[in-house]
Amino acid sequence: TGHDGIVVNGTTGEASTLTDDESVEMMRRVKERAGDRAAVVAGVGSNDTRHAVHMARRAADVGADALLLVSPADATLEGAPPTAVVRATLDAVFHILDDQQLKGPGHLTQRRHLLENIIAERFDYEEMSKRTLAAHWKPLSHTERQEFVQLFKTFLSDQYAARIEGYAGERVVYLSERTVDGYAEVRTRLVSDKLDFPMDYRLTNKSGTWYAYDVIVDGVSLVMNYRSQFGKIIVESSFQELLRRLRERRGSEEKAKT
């Protein structure tokens, strides 16, 4: 054929748009067509070591002759598809959780701070705030909205970081992506010998970049969960009481971390 090998799922962008199953199917089809005429080199690069090992094993199962282990080329997430954004976020999160130097109770504050910084960059907290407060959002002043978004950002970052810390050592399987009119849903599963359950991400596109605005853990929406809790506080008391409780909680968390 004049070619010694064929590279599939390289680092120029296509691999990051595919689910794991789609990537493996691409490898299988190329190997099927290539046969013995050329070696098939399967790209399994990832920012997460466990994911790269998992994909390397699946590549071997479909007959890949060699592996391409290069980190994804998309250094920034501007213009990246929804699955790539979720994958990059979770790769960064699990990289911190797997770091041996950050394990142990003595590093809890540092580890949590790193996790919160990553999460804060990838979530659209204003969109989450609007959806969480629902009808209670519209009558708020600009100042009230700003304060709520900042308090909710601190609250949610801490809540998500605390939850995801419990999943260190698990493997993320990317199932599918659906995009409609500037919104997207990326379906994943967290898998290990002890558990297997869905964790889906809903995203919105702002100026060409995808940001998460809701996480559905085993069928339970984060936004809907807090909409119910916060709505009850507002109805039974007031919006100012909700702010007071969030301020109080932030103060308690800051004291616990010092």
Side-chain angles (χ1 to χ4, degrees):
T1 63
H3 300 285
D4 295 322
I6 302 172
V7 175
V8 60
N9 295 340
T11 61
T12 55
E14 77 276 14
S16 66
T17 70
L18 304 177
T19 66
D20 290 354
D21 287 343
E22 288 170 340
S23 294
V24 174
E25 179 63 14
M26 181 74 78
M27 299 174 198
R28 186 193 66 76
R29 291 191 183 192
V30 172
K31 179 60 181 177
E32 186 178 80
R33 293 294 297 273
D36 296 327
R37 293 175 296 168
V40 172
V41 182
V44 296
S46 174
N47 291 321
D48 178 63
T49 303
R50 290 167 312 167
H51 183 250
V53 171
H54 167 68
M55 292 303 291
R57 289 172 176 161
R58 294 193 67 179
D61 289 342
V62 296
D65 301 290
L67 301 174
L68 176 65
L69 284 163
V70 181
S71 296
D74 48 340
T76 69
L77 294 176
E78 184 176 355
T83 298
V85 172
V86 174
R87 190 192 299 272
T89 303
L90 293 181
D91 284 352
V93 164
F94 283 108
H95 178 75
I96 291 171
L97 295 179
D98 290 340
D99 190 334
Q100 294 299 319
Q101 295 183 346
L102 293 174
K103 290 187 180 292
H107 299 285
L108 173 62
T109 300
Q110 182 185 5
R111 185 173 67 247
R112 182 64 60 80
H113 180 68
L114 291 171
L115 288 173
E116 289 176 3
N117 284 344
I118 291 172
I119 295 162
E121 291 177 358
R122 309 290 170 82
F123 281 75
D124 184 342
Y125 286 100
E126 183 171 348
E127 183 72 18
M128 295 183 86
S129 297
K130 289 179 183 178
R131 290 172 177 268
T132 299
L133 291 183
H136 300 294
W137 173 266
K138 190 174 182 178
L140 299 181
S141 68
H142 178 69
T143 301
E144 289 173 327
R145 289 178 180 180
Q146 281 190 316
E147 182 176 10
F148 178 79
V149 170
Q150 290 306 310
L151 289 170
F152 196 39
K153 176 180 178 179
T154 302
F155 174 77
L156 275 178
S157 294
D158 184 74
Q159 290 294 300
Y160 182 75
R163 176 166 290 185
I164 205 72
E165 275 182 317
Y167 303 137
E170 316 302 342
R171 178 169 59 84
V172 183
V173 178
Y174 296 88
L175 302 173
S176 66
E177 171 186 306
R178 184 170 63 94
T179 306
V180 179
D181 297 332
Y183 292 92
E185 182 176 70
V186 176
R187 297 178 59 244
T188 76
R189 293 192 76 86
L190 287 175
V191 181
S192 73
D193 293 336
K194 297 180 180 179
L195 59 82
D196 180 350
F197 68 88
M199 183 177 285
D200 302 334
Y201 295 82
R202 290 177 180 166
L203 304 94
T204 181
N205 193 295
K206 296 290 181 69
S207 301
T209 302
W210 291 97
Y211 296 94
Y213 68 83
D214 199 3
V215 182
I216 296 85
V217 182
D218 204 14
V220 180
S221 162
L222 206 63
V223 165
M224 293 301 293
N225 181 44
Y226 291 120
R227 179 185 295 179
S228 175
Q229 293 183 36
F230 292 176
K232 183 177 181 181
I233 294 171
I234 294 171
V235 170
E236 293 182 353
S237 183
S238 67
F239 175 73
Q240 293 304 319
E241 173 61 16
L242 174 61
L243 288 182
R244 187 195 68 77
R245 294 190 190 187
L246 288 173
R247 290 190 205 107
E248 188 176 81
R249 183 184 180 91
R250 182 178 64 181
S252 298
E253 289 170 353
E254 288 175 350
K255 285 182 181 179
K257 293 176 183 178
T258 57

